[in-house]
Amino acid sequence: MKIYPDPELPDLVVEWFDGDCREETPEIALELVGLDNPASGKQLTVPCAAEQTATFADIARERYRVEGTLLDPAGTPLNMSMAEIDMRDGLDETAYLYFGGTINFRVDWTFDMGVSCASLMVDYVAIEFSPGIFSHRAPCSFGGVSGTAPDGVFTVRALAYSDETLSVVAVSPSTAELAFSFSTFTEIGTLVMSPCGSSCPEL
């Protein structure tokens, strides 16, 4: 007996926490990145507060990364969340994104020495808080990110790295100690990264 594949393609539902939706984050840009086939990717922009769900219908039975970006009223990226989903079994799936709840900091980044994200071939920038294992990341091309830091005093630095190799290629100096609180918004400013060569730290 020959068994034919199910002709119906699965749906992917994306959900997020309602506390991430506020007046300053009216929309979410969603991107479905094909891990097996980049041509399978899709994009969708939806209101943040619209039932906290969105659906990518009838997608190929492959593996994906779901990238969600909170946008401010002008369309500027504020924060990002990601999840990986395996659709190869042909069943409907749900991806959950969490943007950190209340946003209490903003940081921007740039490079010196005439380099850029493209010239260094980096995909992401990690914003590292010390002491402690705590960081945020966003696509290098965003030029900045907003997020949630716990109560405490930290120094902050930026590290640019390749998503494929997880190798850091540029890093900024650490800031002076900064106090963070859930009740206070902290504008960290712009961190300037320099190529670090053989002295690059590990992620």
Short mmCIF file of all heavy atoms in Angstrom, two decimals, residues 22 24-25 69-80 99 101-110 125-129 134 136-150 155-158 175 178-182 184-192:
data_model
loop_
_atom_site.label_atom_id
_atom_site.label_comp_id
_atom_site.label_asym_id
_atom_site.label_seq_id
_atom_site.Cartn_x
_atom_site.Cartn_y
_atom_site.Cartn_z
N ARG A 22 2.04 48.02 24.99
CA ARG A 22 1.71 49.28 25.65
C ARG A 22 1.57 50.37 24.60
O ARG A 22 1.77 50.11 23.41
CB ARG A 22 2.82 49.66 26.66
CG ARG A 22 2.96 48.65 27.81
CD ARG A 22 4.13 49.00 28.70
NE ARG A 22 5.37 49.07 27.95
CZ ARG A 22 6.07 48.00 27.57
NH1 ARG A 22 5.63 46.79 27.84
NH2 ARG A 22 7.18 48.14 26.90
N GLU A 24 3.51 52.72 23.85
CA GLU A 24 4.74 52.96 23.11
C GLU A 24 5.17 51.79 22.24
O GLU A 24 6.18 51.86 21.54
CB GLU A 24 5.87 53.34 24.07
CG GLU A 24 6.27 52.26 25.06
CD GLU A 24 5.53 52.38 26.38
OE1 GLU A 24 4.38 52.87 26.39
OE2 GLU A 24 6.09 51.96 27.41
N THR A 25 4.43 50.67 22.26
CA THR A 25 4.75 49.53 21.40
C THR A 25 3.48 49.04 20.69
O THR A 25 2.95 47.98 21.00
CB THR A 25 5.36 48.38 22.22
OG1 THR A 25 4.45 48.01 23.28
CG2 THR A 25 6.70 48.77 22.81
N THR A 69 9.71 41.58 16.65
CA THR A 69 10.31 42.86 17.00
C THR A 69 9.22 43.85 17.40
O THR A 69 8.30 44.11 16.62
CB THR A 69 11.10 43.44 15.82
OG1 THR A 69 12.08 42.49 15.40
CG2 THR A 69 11.80 44.73 16.22
N LEU A 70 9.30 44.36 18.62
CA LEU A 70 8.38 45.40 19.06
C LEU A 70 8.74 46.71 18.37
O LEU A 70 9.91 47.10 18.35
CB LEU A 70 8.46 45.59 20.57
CG LEU A 70 7.80 44.52 21.45
CD1 LEU A 70 8.06 44.85 22.92
CD2 LEU A 70 6.31 44.45 21.19
N LEU A 71 7.73 47.40 17.83
CA LEU A 71 7.95 48.67 17.13
C LEU A 71 7.28 49.81 17.87
O LEU A 71 6.18 49.65 18.42
CB LEU A 71 7.37 48.58 15.71
CG LEU A 71 7.88 47.44 14.82
CD1 LEU A 71 7.15 47.46 13.49
CD2 LEU A 71 9.38 47.53 14.61
N ASP A 72 7.95 50.96 17.87
CA ASP A 72 7.31 52.15 18.46
C ASP A 72 6.40 52.77 17.41
O ASP A 72 6.30 52.30 16.28
CB ASP A 72 8.37 53.12 19.00
CG ASP A 72 9.15 53.85 17.90
OD1 ASP A 72 8.80 53.72 16.70
OD2 ASP A 72 10.10 54.55 18.24
N PRO A 73 5.66 53.85 17.76
CA PRO A 73 4.71 54.44 16.80
C PRO A 73 5.34 54.89 15.49
O PRO A 73 4.65 54.98 14.47
CB PRO A 73 4.12 55.62 17.57
CG PRO A 73 4.21 55.20 19.00
CD PRO A 73 5.50 54.45 19.10
N ALA A 74 6.65 55.18 15.50
CA ALA A 74 7.33 55.60 14.27
C ALA A 74 7.90 54.42 13.48
O ALA A 74 8.50 54.60 12.44
CB ALA A 74 8.46 56.58 14.61
N GLY A 75 7.72 53.19 14.00
CA GLY A 75 8.24 52.01 13.33
C GLY A 75 9.67 51.67 13.70
O GLY A 75 10.28 50.79 13.09
N THR A 76 10.22 52.32 14.75
CA THR A 76 11.58 52.04 15.19
C THR A 76 11.60 50.79 16.06
O THR A 76 10.77 50.66 16.97
CB THR A 76 12.13 53.23 16.01
OG1 THR A 76 12.08 54.40 15.20
CG2 THR A 76 13.56 52.97 16.45
N PRO A 77 12.52 49.83 15.82
CA PRO A 77 12.60 48.63 16.65
C PRO A 77 12.96 48.99 18.09
O PRO A 77 13.86 49.78 18.34
CB PRO A 77 13.72 47.82 15.99
CG PRO A 77 13.82 48.34 14.60
CD PRO A 77 13.48 49.79 14.69
N LEU A 78 12.24 48.38 19.04
CA LEU A 78 12.51 48.64 20.45
C LEU A 78 13.06 47.41 21.16
O LEU A 78 13.92 47.51 22.02
CB LEU A 78 11.22 49.08 21.17
CG LEU A 78 10.72 50.48 20.86
CD1 LEU A 78 9.45 50.76 21.65
CD2 LEU A 78 11.79 51.52 21.20
N ASN A 79 12.56 46.23 20.85
CA ASN A 79 13.02 45.02 21.52
C ASN A 79 12.69 43.83 20.64
O ASN A 79 11.85 43.91 19.75
CB ASN A 79 12.34 44.88 22.89
CG ASN A 79 13.14 44.01 23.84
OD1 ASN A 79 14.23 43.54 23.49
ND2 ASN A 79 12.62 43.79 25.03
N MET A 80 13.38 42.71 20.91
CA MET A 80 13.26 41.54 20.03
C MET A 80 13.18 40.26 20.84
O MET A 80 13.76 40.15 21.94
CB MET A 80 14.46 41.48 19.08
CG MET A 80 14.39 40.38 18.05
SD MET A 80 15.85 40.42 16.97
CE MET A 80 15.37 39.15 15.79
N PHE A 99 9.06 39.45 25.43
CA PHE A 99 9.90 40.63 25.21
C PHE A 99 10.41 41.25 26.51
O PHE A 99 11.04 42.30 26.48
CB PHE A 99 9.13 41.67 24.41
CG PHE A 99 8.76 41.21 23.04
CD1 PHE A 99 7.53 40.63 22.79
CD2 PHE A 99 9.65 41.34 21.97
CE1 PHE A 99 7.18 40.19 21.51
CE2 PHE A 99 9.31 40.92 20.70
CZ PHE A 99 8.08 40.34 20.46
N GLY A 101 8.51 42.10 29.33
CA GLY A 101 7.61 42.91 30.15
C GLY A 101 7.95 44.39 30.08
O GLY A 101 8.18 44.94 29.01
N THR A 102 8.03 45.05 31.22
CA THR A 102 8.26 46.48 31.28
C THR A 102 9.66 46.84 30.78
O THR A 102 10.66 46.33 31.28
CB THR A 102 8.09 46.99 32.71
OG1 THR A 102 6.78 46.66 33.17
CG2 THR A 102 8.28 48.49 32.78
N ILE A 103 9.73 47.72 29.79
CA ILE A 103 11.01 48.19 29.26
C ILE A 103 11.57 49.27 30.17
O ILE A 103 10.87 50.23 30.49
CB ILE A 103 10.83 48.72 27.83
CG1 ILE A 103 10.50 47.57 26.87
CG2 ILE A 103 12.08 49.46 27.36
CD1 ILE A 103 10.14 48.02 25.48
N ASN A 104 12.81 49.09 30.64
CA ASN A 104 13.38 50.11 31.53
C ASN A 104 14.76 50.59 31.10
O ASN A 104 15.43 51.27 31.85
CB ASN A 104 13.41 49.62 32.99
CG ASN A 104 14.35 48.45 33.20
OD1 ASN A 104 14.89 47.88 32.26
ND2 ASN A 104 14.55 48.08 34.47
N PHE A 105 15.20 50.22 29.87
CA PHE A 105 16.45 50.81 29.38
C PHE A 105 16.44 50.85 27.85
O PHE A 105 15.72 50.10 27.18
CB PHE A 105 17.69 50.04 29.88
CG PHE A 105 17.95 48.75 29.14
CD1 PHE A 105 18.68 48.72 27.96
CD2 PHE A 105 17.48 47.55 29.64
CE1 PHE A 105 18.93 47.54 27.27
CE2 PHE A 105 17.72 46.35 28.97
CZ PHE A 105 18.44 46.35 27.79
N ARG A 106 17.28 51.73 27.33
CA ARG A 106 17.54 51.83 25.89
C ARG A 106 19.04 52.01 25.70
O ARG A 106 19.68 52.75 26.44
CB ARG A 106 16.80 53.03 25.27
CG ARG A 106 17.19 53.37 23.83
CD ARG A 106 16.65 52.41 22.82
NE ARG A 106 17.16 52.65 21.48
CZ ARG A 106 16.79 51.97 20.40
NH1 ARG A 106 15.88 51.02 20.51
NH2 ARG A 106 17.29 52.22 19.22
N VAL A 107 19.61 51.30 24.72
CA VAL A 107 21.02 51.45 24.40
C VAL A 107 21.18 51.41 22.88
O VAL A 107 20.47 50.68 22.19
CB VAL A 107 21.87 50.33 25.07
CG1 VAL A 107 21.46 48.95 24.59
CG2 VAL A 107 23.36 50.56 24.84
N ASP A 108 22.08 52.23 22.36
CA ASP A 108 22.40 52.24 20.93
C ASP A 108 23.86 51.84 20.75
O ASP A 108 24.65 51.85 21.70
CB ASP A 108 22.15 53.62 20.34
CG ASP A 108 20.69 54.01 20.41
OD1 ASP A 108 19.87 53.31 19.77
OD2 ASP A 108 20.36 54.99 21.10
N TRP A 109 24.22 51.49 19.51
CA TRP A 109 25.61 51.12 19.23
C TRP A 109 26.06 51.61 17.87
O TRP A 109 25.25 51.86 16.98
CB TRP A 109 25.82 49.61 19.34
CG TRP A 109 24.92 48.80 18.45
CD1 TRP A 109 25.04 48.60 17.10
CD2 TRP A 109 23.77 48.06 18.85
NE1 TRP A 109 24.03 47.79 16.65
CE2 TRP A 109 23.24 47.44 17.69
CE3 TRP A 109 23.13 47.86 20.08
CZ2 TRP A 109 22.11 46.63 17.74
CZ3 TRP A 109 22.00 47.05 20.12
CH2 TRP A 109 21.49 46.46 18.96
N THR A 110 27.36 51.74 17.74
CA THR A 110 27.99 52.10 16.47
C THR A 110 29.40 51.52 16.48
O THR A 110 29.80 50.85 17.45
CB THR A 110 28.00 53.63 16.27
OG1 THR A 110 28.45 53.93 14.95
CG2 THR A 110 28.92 54.30 17.28
N VAL A 125 24.29 41.95 17.82
CA VAL A 125 25.02 42.62 18.89
C VAL A 125 24.41 42.17 20.21
O VAL A 125 23.18 42.21 20.39
CB VAL A 125 24.94 44.16 18.76
CG1 VAL A 125 25.47 44.84 20.02
CG2 VAL A 125 25.71 44.62 17.54
N ALA A 126 25.25 41.71 21.11
CA ALA A 126 24.82 41.34 22.46
C ALA A 126 25.16 42.48 23.41
O ALA A 126 26.27 43.02 23.38
CB ALA A 126 25.52 40.06 22.91
N ILE A 127 24.20 42.86 24.23
CA ILE A 127 24.41 43.88 25.25
C ILE A 127 24.59 43.13 26.57
O ILE A 127 23.65 42.52 27.08
CB ILE A 127 23.23 44.86 25.34
CG1 ILE A 127 23.00 45.52 23.97
CG2 ILE A 127 23.49 45.91 26.41
CD1 ILE A 127 24.19 46.30 23.45
N GLU A 128 25.80 43.19 27.10
CA GLU A 128 26.17 42.37 28.27
C GLU A 128 26.18 43.22 29.54
O GLU A 128 26.83 44.28 29.58
CB GLU A 128 27.54 41.75 28.02
CG GLU A 128 28.02 40.83 29.11
CD GLU A 128 29.38 40.26 28.79
OE1 GLU A 128 30.39 40.95 29.00
OE2 GLU A 128 29.43 39.11 28.31
N PHE A 129 25.46 42.76 30.54
CA PHE A 129 25.42 43.42 31.84
C PHE A 129 26.30 42.64 32.82
O PHE A 129 26.19 41.41 32.92
CB PHE A 129 23.99 43.47 32.37
CG PHE A 129 23.08 44.40 31.63
CD1 PHE A 129 22.67 44.10 30.34
CD2 PHE A 129 22.63 45.56 32.21
CE1 PHE A 129 21.82 44.96 29.64
CE2 PHE A 129 21.78 46.43 31.53
CZ PHE A 129 21.38 46.12 30.24
N PHE A 134 23.82 38.04 32.24
CA PHE A 134 22.60 38.74 31.84
C PHE A 134 22.89 39.55 30.60
O PHE A 134 23.82 40.36 30.59
CB PHE A 134 22.12 39.64 32.98
CG PHE A 134 20.97 40.53 32.61
CD1 PHE A 134 19.73 39.99 32.31
CD2 PHE A 134 21.13 41.90 32.56
CE1 PHE A 134 18.68 40.82 31.98
CE2 PHE A 134 20.08 42.73 32.23
CZ PHE A 134 18.84 42.19 31.93
N HIS A 136 21.17 41.09 26.52
CA HIS A 136 20.15 41.23 25.49
C HIS A 136 20.86 41.17 24.15
O HIS A 136 22.04 41.53 24.05
CB HIS A 136 19.41 42.57 25.61
CG HIS A 136 18.41 42.61 26.72
ND1 HIS A 136 17.06 42.47 26.51
CD2 HIS A 136 18.56 42.75 28.05
CE1 HIS A 136 16.42 42.54 27.66
NE2 HIS A 136 17.31 42.72 28.61
N ARG A 137 20.14 40.76 23.11
CA ARG A 137 20.74 40.80 21.78
C ARG A 137 19.71 41.27 20.77
O ARG A 137 18.49 41.15 20.98
CB ARG A 137 21.31 39.45 21.38
CG ARG A 137 20.28 38.42 20.90
CD ARG A 137 20.99 37.27 20.21
NE ARG A 137 20.04 36.39 19.54
CZ ARG A 137 20.40 35.44 18.68
NH1 ARG A 137 21.68 35.26 18.38
NH2 ARG A 137 19.51 34.68 18.09
N ALA A 138 20.20 41.80 19.67
CA ALA A 138 19.35 42.26 18.57
C ALA A 138 20.17 42.25 17.30
O ALA A 138 21.41 42.24 17.35
CB ALA A 138 18.81 43.66 18.86
N PRO A 139 19.52 42.22 16.13
CA PRO A 139 20.28 42.31 14.88
C PRO A 139 21.16 43.54 14.86
O PRO A 139 20.74 44.63 15.27
CB PRO A 139 19.18 42.37 13.82
CG PRO A 139 18.03 41.64 14.42
CD PRO A 139 18.07 42.01 15.88
N CYS A 140 22.37 43.39 14.38
CA CYS A 140 23.32 44.50 14.35
C CYS A 140 22.75 45.69 13.59
O CYS A 140 22.97 46.84 13.98
CB CYS A 140 24.63 44.03 13.70
SG CYS A 140 25.95 45.25 13.73
N SER A 141 22.00 45.43 12.54
CA SER A 141 21.48 46.50 11.70
C SER A 141 20.48 47.39 12.43
O SER A 141 20.20 48.51 11.99
CB SER A 141 20.80 45.91 10.46
OG SER A 141 19.74 45.04 10.82
N PHE A 142 19.92 46.94 13.56
CA PHE A 142 18.96 47.75 14.32
C PHE A 142 19.63 49.02 14.85
O PHE A 142 18.97 50.04 15.02
CB PHE A 142 18.38 46.96 15.48
CG PHE A 142 17.25 46.04 15.10
CD1 PHE A 142 17.00 45.72 13.77
CD2 PHE A 142 16.44 45.47 16.07
CE1 PHE A 142 15.98 44.86 13.42
CE2 PHE A 142 15.41 44.62 15.73
CZ PHE A 142 15.17 44.31 14.40
N GLY A 143 20.90 48.92 15.22
CA GLY A 143 21.60 50.08 15.77
C GLY A 143 21.27 50.39 17.21
O GLY A 143 21.78 51.36 17.78
N GLY A 144 20.43 49.57 17.84
CA GLY A 144 20.07 49.79 19.23
C GLY A 144 18.97 48.85 19.65
O GLY A 144 18.35 48.18 18.83
N VAL A 145 18.72 48.78 20.97
CA VAL A 145 17.68 47.90 21.47
C VAL A 145 17.19 48.44 22.81
O VAL A 145 17.93 49.10 23.54
CB VAL A 145 18.21 46.45 21.64
CG1 VAL A 145 19.26 46.37 22.76
CG2 VAL A 145 17.08 45.47 21.91
N SER A 146 15.92 48.19 23.11
CA SER A 146 15.36 48.47 24.42
C SER A 146 15.05 47.15 25.10
O SER A 146 14.84 46.12 24.43
CB SER A 146 14.08 49.30 24.31
OG SER A 146 14.34 50.54 23.70
N GLY A 147 15.00 47.14 26.42
CA GLY A 147 14.74 45.90 27.12
C GLY A 147 14.50 46.12 28.59
O GLY A 147 14.29 47.25 29.05
N THR A 148 14.53 45.01 29.33
CA THR A 148 14.29 45.05 30.76
C THR A 148 15.50 44.53 31.51
O THR A 148 15.97 43.42 31.25
CB THR A 148 13.07 44.19 31.13
OG1 THR A 148 11.94 44.62 30.36
CG2 THR A 148 12.74 44.30 32.61
N ALA A 149 16.02 45.33 32.40
CA ALA A 149 17.13 44.94 33.27
C ALA A 149 16.60 44.81 34.69
O ALA A 149 15.72 45.56 35.10
CB ALA A 149 18.25 45.98 33.21
N PRO A 150 17.14 43.86 35.47
CA PRO A 150 16.69 43.73 36.86
C PRO A 150 17.19 44.88 37.72
O PRO A 150 18.10 45.61 37.33
CB PRO A 150 17.32 42.40 37.29
CG PRO A 150 18.53 42.28 36.43
CD PRO A 150 18.15 42.87 35.11
N THR A 155 27.69 47.34 35.03
CA THR A 155 28.36 47.95 33.90
C THR A 155 27.83 47.27 32.64
O THR A 155 27.35 46.14 32.68
CB THR A 155 29.89 47.79 33.97
OG1 THR A 155 30.22 46.39 33.95
CG2 THR A 155 30.45 48.43 35.24
N VAL A 156 27.89 47.98 31.52
CA VAL A 156 27.29 47.48 30.29
C VAL A 156 28.29 47.61 29.14
O VAL A 156 29.01 48.62 29.05
CB VAL A 156 26.01 48.28 29.93
CG1 VAL A 156 25.34 47.71 28.69
CG2 VAL A 156 25.05 48.30 31.11
N ARG A 157 28.37 46.60 28.28
CA ARG A 157 29.19 46.70 27.08
C ARG A 157 28.47 46.00 25.93
O ARG A 157 27.54 45.21 26.14
CB ARG A 157 30.58 46.09 27.28
CG ARG A 157 30.60 44.58 27.50
CD ARG A 157 32.03 44.07 27.58
NE ARG A 157 32.07 42.63 27.80
CZ ARG A 157 33.20 41.90 27.79
NH1 ARG A 157 34.37 42.49 27.56
NH2 ARG A 157 33.16 40.59 28.00
N ALA A 158 28.90 46.29 24.71
CA ALA A 158 28.32 45.71 23.50
C ALA A 158 29.34 44.81 22.82
O ALA A 158 30.53 45.14 22.76
CB ALA A 158 27.88 46.81 22.54
N THR A 175 30.73 50.51 30.32
CA THR A 175 30.33 51.79 30.88
C THR A 175 30.77 51.89 32.34
O THR A 175 31.20 50.91 32.94
CB THR A 175 28.80 51.95 30.83
OG1 THR A 175 28.20 50.97 31.69
CG2 THR A 175 28.27 51.78 29.42
N LEU A 178 26.09 51.68 36.42
CA LEU A 178 24.78 52.32 36.25
C LEU A 178 23.76 51.61 37.13
O LEU A 178 23.77 50.38 37.23
CB LEU A 178 24.33 52.24 34.79
CG LEU A 178 25.24 52.91 33.74
CD1 LEU A 178 24.77 52.53 32.34
CD2 LEU A 178 25.22 54.42 33.93
N ALA A 179 22.89 52.38 37.75
CA ALA A 179 21.84 51.82 38.59
C ALA A 179 20.57 51.62 37.76
O ALA A 179 20.13 52.54 37.06
CB ALA A 179 21.56 52.73 39.78
N PHE A 180 20.00 50.41 37.82
CA PHE A 180 18.78 50.09 37.09
C PHE A 180 17.67 49.77 38.07
O PHE A 180 17.89 49.16 39.12
CB PHE A 180 19.00 48.89 36.15
CG PHE A 180 19.94 49.19 35.01
CD1 PHE A 180 21.32 49.04 35.19
CD2 PHE A 180 19.48 49.63 33.79
CE1 PHE A 180 22.20 49.32 34.15
CE2 PHE A 180 20.34 49.91 32.75
CZ PHE A 180 21.71 49.75 32.93
N SER A 181 16.45 50.16 37.69
CA SER A 181 15.28 49.92 38.52
C SER A 181 14.08 49.70 37.61
O SER A 181 13.99 50.30 36.52
CB SER A 181 15.03 51.11 39.44
OG SER A 181 13.74 51.04 40.03
N PHE A 182 13.15 48.85 38.03
CA PHE A 182 11.94 48.62 37.24
C PHE A 182 11.09 49.89 37.14
O PHE A 182 10.29 50.03 36.22
CB PHE A 182 11.11 47.50 37.86
CG PHE A 182 11.70 46.13 37.64
CD1 PHE A 182 12.05 45.35 38.71
CD2 PHE A 182 11.89 45.63 36.37
CE1 PHE A 182 12.59 44.09 38.52
CE2 PHE A 182 12.44 44.38 36.15
CZ PHE A 182 12.80 43.60 37.24
N THR A 184 12.28 53.03 36.88
CA THR A 184 13.00 54.13 36.25
C THR A 184 13.52 53.72 34.88
O THR A 184 14.08 52.63 34.73
CB THR A 184 14.19 54.58 37.12
OG1 THR A 184 13.70 54.92 38.42
CG2 THR A 184 14.89 55.79 36.52
N PHE A 185 13.36 54.60 33.88
CA PHE A 185 13.89 54.33 32.54
C PHE A 185 15.31 54.89 32.46
O PHE A 185 15.55 56.05 32.78
CB PHE A 185 13.01 54.97 31.46
CG PHE A 185 13.43 54.59 30.06
CD1 PHE A 185 12.99 53.43 29.48
CD2 PHE A 185 14.28 55.42 29.34
CE1 PHE A 185 13.37 53.08 28.20
CE2 PHE A 185 14.67 55.08 28.06
CZ PHE A 185 14.22 53.91 27.49
N THR A 186 16.26 54.04 32.03
CA THR A 186 17.66 54.44 31.92
C THR A 186 18.08 54.51 30.46
O THR A 186 17.98 53.52 29.73
CB THR A 186 18.58 53.45 32.65
OG1 THR A 186 18.22 53.42 34.04
CG2 THR A 186 20.04 53.85 32.52
N GLU A 187 18.51 55.66 30.02
CA GLU A 187 19.05 55.85 28.67
C GLU A 187 20.56 55.64 28.76
O GLU A 187 21.29 56.50 29.24
CB GLU A 187 18.73 57.24 28.16
CG GLU A 187 19.10 57.46 26.70
CD GLU A 187 18.24 56.67 25.73
OE1 GLU A 187 17.01 56.81 25.77
OE2 GLU A 187 18.84 55.91 24.93
N ILE A 188 21.03 54.47 28.32
CA ILE A 188 22.44 54.13 28.47
C ILE A 188 23.31 54.97 27.54
O ILE A 188 24.45 55.31 27.86
CB ILE A 188 22.66 52.62 28.21
CG1 ILE A 188 21.90 51.81 29.27
CG2 ILE A 188 24.14 52.26 28.22
CD1 ILE A 188 21.91 50.32 29.02
N GLY A 189 22.79 55.31 26.36
CA GLY A 189 23.56 56.07 25.39
C GLY A 189 24.09 55.18 24.29
O GLY A 189 23.61 54.06 24.09
N THR A 190 25.08 55.66 23.56
CA THR A 190 25.64 54.93 22.42
C THR A 190 26.97 54.30 22.80
O THR A 190 27.90 54.99 23.23
CB THR A 190 25.84 55.87 21.21
OG1 THR A 190 24.57 56.43 20.84
CG2 THR A 190 26.41 55.10 20.02
N LEU A 191 27.06 52.97 22.62
CA LEU A 191 28.30 52.24 22.87
C LEU A 191 29.05 52.11 21.54
O LEU A 191 28.46 51.73 20.52
CB LEU A 191 28.00 50.86 23.45
CG LEU A 191 27.19 50.85 24.75
CD1 LEU A 191 26.95 49.41 25.21
CD2 LEU A 191 27.89 51.65 25.82
N VAL A 192 30.34 52.43 21.56
CA VAL A 192 31.16 52.42 20.35
C VAL A 192 32.04 51.17 20.37
O VAL A 192 32.89 51.01 21.26
CB VAL A 192 32.03 53.68 20.24
CG1 VAL A 192 32.85 53.65 18.96
CG2 VAL A 192 31.16 54.93 20.28
#
